[in-house]
Amino acid sequence: MMARIVFLLLLNVLAFNFSKAQNVAETELTLAPVFSDHMVLQRNKPIKIYGNVASGTDVTVGFLGRIRTVTTDGSGKWSVTFPASKEGGPYDISVSTKNQEVNVRDILIGDVWLCSGQSNMAFALQDAKTGPEELAAGKFDYNLRLLKMSGTVSTGNAAWDSASLHKINQYKFFAGSWKTLDKSSAATFSAIGYYFGKQIKKETNVPIGLIQVALGGSPTESWIDRALLEQDQQFTGMLTDWQHSNLVMDWCRERAAKNISNAQSKDQKHPFQPGYNFQASIVPLTDFPIAGVIWYQGESNVFNVSLHEQLFEMLVKNWREKWGYAFPFYYVQLSSIERPNWPEFRDSQRKLLTTIPNSGMAVSYDFGDSLDVHPTQKKEVGERLALLALRDTYKKNVVAEGPVPEKATLTNGEIRIRFFNGKGFWSKQKNLLTKNNAPLTGFELLTENGKQMSANAKISGNEIVINVPAGERISTVLYAYKPFTRANLYNEAGLPASTFSIAVK
């Protein structure tokens, strides 16, 4: 009897302490997690500062010599908006109530780029081919800042404990704070994001903030608003029972099953689940203006090329609608590796450029690894993304794309393919070439009856000339259409042609 009384008293004490802690958390003055020392705010956009405290509290915010006071709503949320500002800094933000004060220091105003996707975007600088040399050089720019939103629970091949399962269900998966650029912060940050930001900062001299929100293995659908997916009946099975849906990659379902194998609830959530990463990481950022997005993802959707096309278009539209403007969206075409569907997927990504406005694609197959889905040459990929942004966002006169096929015509037994250099001032293609002047490789022909054959192709100025084998009726020219390819067509800027297919007229 005495033991029972002691047990009940202990329960009451624990409940009281939990309630007390909860009340303290609800009344504590906080800013949204994206606000911390060393942050970068987006220039030329109204600056919204927001957070939480007890409902009905007056909150005073000071920034750039201006003061705003607001009263929190019934849920304790508060926000104030300051006018758009040009680049500059460092500045401070002060936020106070009658009894509390929070200060955010060393703030820059510049351009904020969101770096998202799966493992190749998350691939750390320290592991990249050029990473150790870059870190050893120690040339870190004060005006380049990093916010790495890391997963707080590993999605490795292990079962989660109850605390991890609970955290995932609360959407408390991503966490991080802004850092100045130094050896420690750069080492574990996205290599592609780092090199992209470094190049943009060098060419524009504008402070740059990079936000990394990427998760290895995550499928496209995990980054889309679940409510949007629910509007399309074809995704019903994916949403109601995603762990058994053939619309979700086998590997993703198998890994999730392992992670949540200790779960007691049938509604246990997982970051590979449709809509999860959107809710956990994108929603908290949509009140925070950005300059644009760089994206490297697709490996977990390559099994279904046509489905990915729909999902990727949905994702870009979804994000732009949530932020409220059509920011640029630059993505990486998948690399090359000995796996099925990769040529078709790369070609599909190229075609999406025509259906997604204000987008650009960086080619990466020439840095591929036949066996490793994580090629280590990230510097070149980040810099190719930067070229797209420099040309299209910053309006610099640079060549940002390799040769783009314009037209393929059949005349007198030979096919001629004319190329141009994409958009911009330097769009007219002067000369085609191969890397190190090696023999041209990578071209194939597809006949009207579906037979695929290698092509005898040669360069003639800004055209490719292909002799048609006698008796063959050719419908399509294919380029870089092997899963792992050594195709080697470049332009004078040293940029490769994309994997492509083009109909012969």
Side-chain angles (χ1 to χ4, degrees), residues 221-372:
E221 59 269 17
S222 70
W223 298 97
I224 301 173
D225 188 351
R226 181 185 174 93
L228 185 60
L229 293 169
E230 288 173 345
Q231 296 175 17
D232 193 325
Q233 289 188 346
Q234 71 172 310
F235 300 125
T236 300
M238 177 191 284
L239 297 172
T240 56
D241 188 11
W242 74 278
Q243 292 182 66
H244 297 92
S245 171
N246 60 11
L247 296 180
V248 180
M249 186 181 185
D250 289 350
W251 183 90
C252 295
R253 292 185 278 131
E254 291 165 2
R255 176 56 57 83
K258 178 68 174 180
N259 292 156
I260 67 174
S261 57
N262 291 331
Q264 300 299 311
S265 170
K266 292 182 179 180
D267 296 325
Q268 176 63 45
K269 297 176 175 60
H270 190 279
F272 294 167
Q273 185 174 352
Y276 184 91
N277 292 321
F278 177 84
Q279 186 66 34
S281 69
I282 301 305
V283 169
L285 293 174
T286 53
D287 283 331
F288 192 80
I290 58 175
V293 171
I294 59 171
W295 175 263
Y296 193 159
Q297 193 273 344
E299 297 91 338
S300 289
N301 291 82
V302 74
F303 74 100
N304 192 327
V305 177
S306 60
L307 177 64
H308 173 264
E309 290 176 356
Q310 298 176 64
L311 290 170
F312 189 61
E313 287 189 69
M314 288 178 69
L315 183 149
V316 177
K317 184 179 179 181
N318 186 199
W319 288 21
R320 286 172 171 172
E321 287 180 347
K322 292 298 182 181
W323 260 276
Y325 55 98
F327 50 70
F329 202 107
Y330 303 123
Y331 58 94
V332 181
Q333 186 184 51
L334 287 195
S335 191
S336 58
I337 190 173
E338 288 294 354
R339 292 186 181 181
N341 290 348
W342 282 59
E344 293 80 6
F345 193 90
R346 293 196 301 263
D347 197 21
S348 170
Q349 288 181 294
R350 176 188 67 88
K351 293 174 183 176
L352 283 166
L353 289 169
T354 64
T355 61
I356 300 175
N358 199 13
S359 65
M361 183 186 74
V363 174
S364 72
Y365 68 75
D366 51 335
F367 302 123
D369 187 304
S370 62
L371 300 176
D372 193 346

Side-chain angles (χ1 to χ4, degrees), residues 383-442:
E383 291 177 348
R384 287 177 183 178
L385 286 169
L387 284 173
L388 293 166
L390 289 169
R391 183 192 67 185
D392 295 340
T393 302
Y394 297 97
K395 309 305 179 185
K396 303 285 186 180
N397 286 332
V398 297
V399 178
E401 295 174 79
V404 178
E406 184 176 13
K407 187 178 183 180
T409 55
L410 174 63
T411 306
N412 299 325
E414 65 179 21
I415 297 169
R416 286 186 171 268
I417 308 173
R418 188 170 63 209
F419 288 81
F420 64 104
N421 265 342
K423 299 179 288 185
F425 181 78
W426 301 105
S427 62
K428 187 176 180 181
Q429 176 68 56
K430 292 183 178 180
N431 287 302
L432 301 171
L433 48 86
T434 61
K435 200 165 190 178
N436 301 321
N437 295 315
L440 179 64
T441 62

